[in-house]
Amino acid sequence: MKFVLGRDDLADAVRAAARETGTRAERLDVRPVNRAARPMIAESSADLCELPIVTLLQAVAHGRPVLLLPLTALGRFQHQTLVTCGDLTVDDVEGRTVGIRSWSQTTGVWVRGFLGEQFGVDLREVDWVVYEGGHVDGQADPSWVRRAPEGSRLQADFLEGRVDFGIMGNELPSDDRVRTAIPDPATVAAAWSKDKGFVPVNHVVGVGERAAGAYPAAILAAYDAMRDVLAATPRDNGAVDMNPVGFEALRGPVTQAAAYALEQDALPRPVDFDELVARSCAALGVPPSRLGG
């Protein structure tokens, strides 16, 4: 069984749990971990793989054989990822240029959701610039989004003033001029999560349908082992659980991400959370309660 996970502690847990079921689990070295998403979706290069939540939703919407294993591989606040180098703030976004790596990037879907919901931004009144496609073939960018010229780089365009704002998580350049566009983003993010009852999950765990049939015991054991690791992870942001596990714990963030993605033309059709639950349980031959449902 081949797998890709960014966290070493989760990877060690999967390897040990699979071994207990008599299955050899091989960790594929893919860094950054989001580079594993496209080959996993298109070629089944991994049996179990850390996936951005929007990538998984798009894969399901396009009929790809990918299932949700309800574990959070990466949860974080996202409001701080809208940045600028000038004196602009979130109130200036409409009519300005905003760059983002990919339209389907999960961080961008969350931030655009915040812009519309919390700050009243009309997303179609923003000049959106994207630099690459998404992870799922067949998912086109909206007609109201433009692609940067070939060879352009988001970080360079941002620092050199060709875009007014950027949405960047791990890609954020180190430069003293960079400022968050949302004032006091940590406080705003914490209030959003408290109101919603969940953190804006970024990465979850996906499983191939073929793998679910071939290694069900190993995958369920891996789920249990990762669940235990995540449960032991300290909470650094008050009462908000950054690592929700189980169908019921993930229902809120996945449903919200799916709603935002559909509104932003990042999904070709609605994806209902219960559809994800049913597909995973059928493939693994378990009731929802086995996976925290």
Side-chain angles (χ1 to χ4, degrees):
M1 183 175 79
K2 297 180 179 180
F3 72 94
V4 179
L5 290 167
R7 285 177 53 166
D8 291 340
D9 56 352
L10 294 180
D12 291 343
V14 167
R15 194 180 290 111
R19 187 184 306 119
E20 290 295 316
T21 69
T23 301
R24 179 178 177 272
E26 176 189 357
R27 185 186 188 185
L28 304 180
D29 186 15
V30 182
R31 304 180 189 183
V33 71
N34 61 16
R35 291 182 179 173
R38 172 173 281 277
M40 193 274 187
I41 301 299
E43 306 161 15
S44 300
S45 60
D47 300 304
L48 182 152
C49 186
E50 181 173 333
L51 293 174
I53 194 169
V54 174
T55 295
L56 185 139
L57 291 166
Q58 288 182 338
V60 170
H62 283 276
R64 306 296 196 272
V66 178
L67 310 168
L68 170 65
L69 195 64
L71 296 144
T72 300
L74 174 62
R76 69 182 181 199
F77 291 154
Q78 303 277 17
H79 287 73
Q80 76 281 359
T81 62
L82 179 67
V83 294
T84 181
C85 280
D87 296 326
L88 302 174
T89 73
V90 64
D91 295 330
D92 303 304
V93 167
E94 279 193 24
R96 301 281 183 169
T97 302
V98 182
I100 184 169
R101 176 173 56 81
S102 167
W103 187 252
S104 60
Q105 184 179 4
T106 296
T107 294
V109 169
W110 282 117
V111 171
R112 293 191 300 267
F114 304 152
L115 289 175
E117 184 178 85
Q118 292 182 281
F119 300 98
V121 174
D122 183 343
L123 298 180
R124 286 166 176 75
E125 293 299 321
V126 178
D127 181 14
W128 297 102
V129 185
V130 300
Y131 290 75
E132 60 184 66
H135 296 137
V136 179
D137 291 336
Q139 181 64 46
D141 292 340
S143 60
W144 39 283
V145 172
R146 64 183 175 94
R147 185 68 63 91
E150 188 72 26
S152 300
R153 293 184 63 251
L154 170 58
Q155 291 85 349
D157 283 355
F158 174 68
L159 291 175
E160 294 167 15
R162 287 185 288 276
V163 296
D164 301 308
F165 296 90
I167 298 176
M168 289 178 274
N170 295 334
E171 318 99 320
L172 185 67
S174 178
D175 190 295
D176 291 340
R177 295 172 296 165
V178 177
R179 298 185 306 100
T180 57
I182 297 173
D184 195 7
T187 299
V188 176
W192 184 92
S193 286
K194 182 178 180 180
D195 180 61
K196 294 286 187 177
F198 53 79
V199 69
V201 169
N202 201 343
H203 291 184
V204 291
V205 177
V207 172
E209 283 187 359
R210 184 198 63 80
Y215 313 111
I219 289 169
L220 291 170
Y223 169 83
D224 293 342
M226 287 189 281
R227 175 198 60 202
D228 293 345
V229 169
L230 293 171
T233 302
R235 295 188 184 186
D236 295 329
N237 291 276
V240 179
D241 185 1
M242 289 290 192
N243 302 285
V245 173
F247 284 130
E248 282 312 303
L250 278 169
R251 179 178 292 275
V254 173
T255 298
Q256 183 67 81
Y260 282 163
L262 187 66
E263 291 168 359
Q264 298 166 24
D265 292 346
L267 284 177
R269 66 167 178 86
V271 178
D272 186 78
F273 189 76
D274 287 325
E275 175 186 353
L276 303 179
V277 174
R279 293 175 73 254
S280 297
C281 291
L284 290 167
V286 297
S289 59
R290 177 63 180 82
L291 295 170

